Amino acid sequence: MDAATLTAVISAGTAITVVALTNYFAKSREHEADWRRLKLELYREYIFALSGMVEGRNSLAAQERHSDAVNGLKLVAPPAVMRSLNAFIEYNSYSNPNKSLEHHDRLINDLIKTMRADLRPKFQRGDAELTFYLMGIPPQNT
């Protein structure tokens, strides 16, 4: 094989390899973005469902929505989120007679921070100082 043919074969092989790798990495990034969008939607649904259960808003329908949201999270949440979620659910179960608002708020804060870290794994300055809690409905004067 002469040098010109060898150069053409190497160039064609390199071009095919570059196109294949570019396509592979683009599909991988696209898949990761789709996965993050799905997680974000399920995390949002969980927070909305949980908001429906704050004091003064809890109902059977809210509890059903919460159960459905928890079950949906089980499909996509990584182990760290599931540990935080399970700790929060176990603490707030009806069978736990020793509840405190401070411990409840610590657990929800941990859960939300863990969800945020899963969606945006790169630590941002100020993340550690953020505090999350659920807002309830102010009492209505009737």
Side-chain angles (χ1 to χ4, degrees):
M1 196 179 296
D2 65 348
T5 305
L6 183 60
T7 302
V9 169
I10 290 173
S11 295
T14 302
I16 291 170
T17 302
V18 167
V19 168
L21 287 173
T22 301
N23 186 46
Y24 171 78
F25 289 122
K27 291 287 185 186
S28 179
R29 280 191 307 275
E30 184 179 310
H31 176 71
E32 182 64 27
D34 288 344
W35 188 244
R36 284 191 192 283
R37 276 191 289 277
L38 175 62
K39 283 190 203 183
L40 175 60
E41 186 55 40
L42 289 171
Y43 288 168
R44 284 184 63 211
E45 174 56 28
Y46 177 75
I47 296 299
F48 290 154
L50 191 58
S51 294
M53 294 181 58
V54 296
E55 193 170 338
R57 293 182 66 190
N58 199 358
S59 66
L60 179 59
Q63 291 174 13
E64 289 172 351
R65 183 177 182 191
H66 180 260
S67 293
D68 291 343
V70 168
N71 291 337
L73 286 180
K74 291 178 182 181
L75 290 173
V76 298
V81 172
M82 288 307 303
R83 282 190 295 275
S84 294
L85 178 63
N86 290 336
F88 180 74
I89 290 171
E90 287 172 20
Y91 181 78
N92 288 291
S93 78
Y94 290 110
S95 63
N96 180 6
N98 303 317
K99 296 177 188 170
S100 74
L101 184 57
E102 294 79 22
H103 193 76
H104 170 276
D105 287 350
R106 256 193 318 271
L107 289 170
I108 193 67
N109 188 50
D110 181 53
L111 175 58
I112 292 173
K113 282 184 175 182
T114 307
M115 287 176 172
R116 287 171 57 97
D118 180 41
L119 291 172
R120 188 187 65 195
K122 185 177 177 187
F123 187 78
Q124 301 280 323
R125 182 182 297 190
D127 281 355
E129 293 86 34
L130 291 175
T131 302
F132 300 97
Y133 57 91
L134 294 177
M135 293 183 63
I137 299 174
Q140 303 295 314
N141 294 333
T142 54

